[in-house]
Amino acid sequence: MLIWFLPLFLLFLMIGLPVFFALLAAPGILLFLNGQERDLALLYRNVYNGMDSFPLMAIPFFMLAGELMNRGGITMRLVEFSQAMMGHLRGGLAHVNILSSMLFAGLSGSAVADTSALGSMLIPAMEKEGYTRRFAAAITAASSVIGPIIPPSGIMIIYAYVMGESVAALFLAGIIPGILVGLGLMIMVKFMADRYDFPASRAKSTWGEKGKASLKAFFPLLTPVIILGGILGGVFTPTEAAAVAVAYALIIGIFVMRTLRLREIPGVLQNAAMTSAVVLLLVGAAMAFKTVVSLSHAPEQLAAIILGLSDNPLILLFLINLLLFIVGMFLDAGPAIIILGPILGPIFVDLGIDPIHFAIIMSVNLTVGLATPPMGLVLFVASSVSGEKVQTIARAILPFLAIEIVVIFLITFIPDLSMAIPRLTGFAD
């Protein structure tokens, strides 16, 4: 009977119950009906235990760092830098949107923060330049998924926590896939710009203008260098790196750039706390949900089904990508990783797939799910920022989703794309 918690969980999602409550209600009801009161108590106790982790402290710190940089005007400097480099191209503001997302990814690691911060600036600017609002919202949502792929990444921190992998290795493995997503989106924008005669946003910048924009963006762009350099150099752990990022954001915002005022700090802390609370509650609920997954023996049954389909790892990887893509349509990336990671990860490691490689396949696939209808979170954020209906943005985003799916299969079947940097730095065999 306990195995029915999965269909019940999906039913709760379909009727609109928030994910946090669905994760707890579905197994809770079945445990109660099964007379397993002790396991029911364990389920809800594990909500706290799932959040009580030192590595997970990196998530609220990185979110706070991103909030500080956004409030301190650093996002605007990244956009100005992107405009100086790419604004002269046909479809310039769309390219600027993508490049800004790639740069912002190195600061916050959050797709939602990316969509909110960049969308509020670039969607009105693109509409003013002659782009439709639905296209501007769609490219903002599509490019925002780069945020959790290029390090730092909250999703990869969660995966490392659940599966016992190296955070540094996952961060390094995400660099090339994140760049590939950005380049793929730019290729699609170029194709659409030539076909629909998109405008350039400005004349080509002189070397002096590019240099000036680079100097203004220098301190923000130094953030990922400090984070990754400190982790790889053994100076601090990923959690400590997140705290260093917060300190750095405060210093450059208040003392160097002087764009952040002390009276704004309480509001920044409140926003970061609210966002972090949502993520950590989902992690706690997903860890509790994972307990029932183990009790139901669903992992063993699913493993038997998967291995019964084929003994060819390449075919199984193709099928798992389809499964993850469908899961990403309905479930947020963090809970999906916690629930499915312990089930799927060991199966593919036993088949000879490198655990870091599989981690990137899973993380990128579920991250793209953030922009996938019907439940993609960044679609709702883009809708809120732009005023467009979610359905309208969902239709406009389809060409960009196609590009991201191509990238998923590239990194799936060409392992060196994600494994090259970890191997070169000694973080993978």
Side-chain angles (χ1 to χ4, degrees), residues 325-331 369-377 379-380 390-391 394:
F325 188 74
I326 294 169
V327 168
M329 291 180 178
F330 301 95
L331 194 58
L370 293 171
T372 306
M375 301 289 288
L377 183 58
L379 293 178
F380 290 92
V390 172
Q391 301 94 312

Side-chain angles (χ1 to χ4, degrees), residues 309-349:
L309 296 173
S310 173
D311 57 1
N312 187 329
L314 298 181
I315 293 175
L316 291 177
L317 281 172
F318 177 82
L319 295 174
I320 285 303
N321 269 318
L322 294 181
L323 172 65
L324 292 174
F325 188 74
I326 294 169
V327 168
M329 291 180 178
F330 301 95
L331 194 58
D332 194 37
I337 283 172
I338 294 171
I339 295 165
L340 294 177
I343 299 173
L344 300 177
I347 296 173
F348 284 89
V349 170

Side-chain angles (χ1 to χ4, degrees), residues 7-92:
L8 187 59
F9 169 63
L10 292 174
L11 175 64
F12 284 150
L13 289 183
M14 290 171 63
I15 64 175
L17 192 68
V19 175
F20 173 77
F21 295 108
L23 283 168
L24 297 177
I29 289 171
L30 290 176
L31 286 171
F32 177 76
L33 293 176
N34 237 18
Q36 297 174 252
E37 285 81 6
R38 279 174 86 183
D39 292 330
L40 184 61
L42 179 64
L43 172 75
Y44 296 113
R45 190 163 61 246
N46 278 348
V47 175
Y48 172 77
N49 293 337
M51 294 184 283
D52 186 19
S53 165
F54 180 73
L56 286 181
M57 284 298 296
I59 294 175
F61 276 121
F62 277 129
M63 288 185 171
L64 177 56
E67 193 73 33
L68 286 167
M69 292 183 178
N70 186 33
R71 188 69 66 92
I74 289 174
T75 308
M76 178 64 74
R77 294 194 175 206
L78 294 179
V79 171
E80 290 174 358
F81 173 77
S82 301
Q83 281 186 312
M85 298 300 160
M86 307 194 72
H88 63 282
L89 300 174
R90 186 179 295 279

Side-chain angles (χ1 to χ4, degrees), residues 277-364:
V278 171
V279 173
L280 291 176
L281 280 172
L282 283 172
V283 170
M287 290 298 285
F289 189 88
K290 178 184 159 188
T291 304
V292 180
V293 171
S294 301
L295 291 171
S296 68
H297 301 290
E300 293 87 347
Q301 295 175 34
L302 185 58
I305 293 171
I306 291 172
L307 294 173
L309 296 173
S310 173
D311 57 1
N312 187 329
L314 298 181
I315 293 175
L316 291 177
L317 281 172
F318 177 82
L319 295 174
I320 285 303
N321 269 318
L322 294 181
L323 172 65
L324 292 174
F325 188 74
I326 294 169
V327 168
M329 291 180 178
F330 301 95
L331 194 58
D332 194 37
I337 283 172
I338 294 171
I339 295 165
L340 294 177
I343 299 173
L344 300 177
I347 296 173
F348 284 89
V349 170
D350 289 343
L351 289 171
I353 307 298
D354 189 283
I356 300 299
H357 180 213
F358 183 76
I360 293 302
I361 293 171
M362 190 169 191
S363 297
V364 174

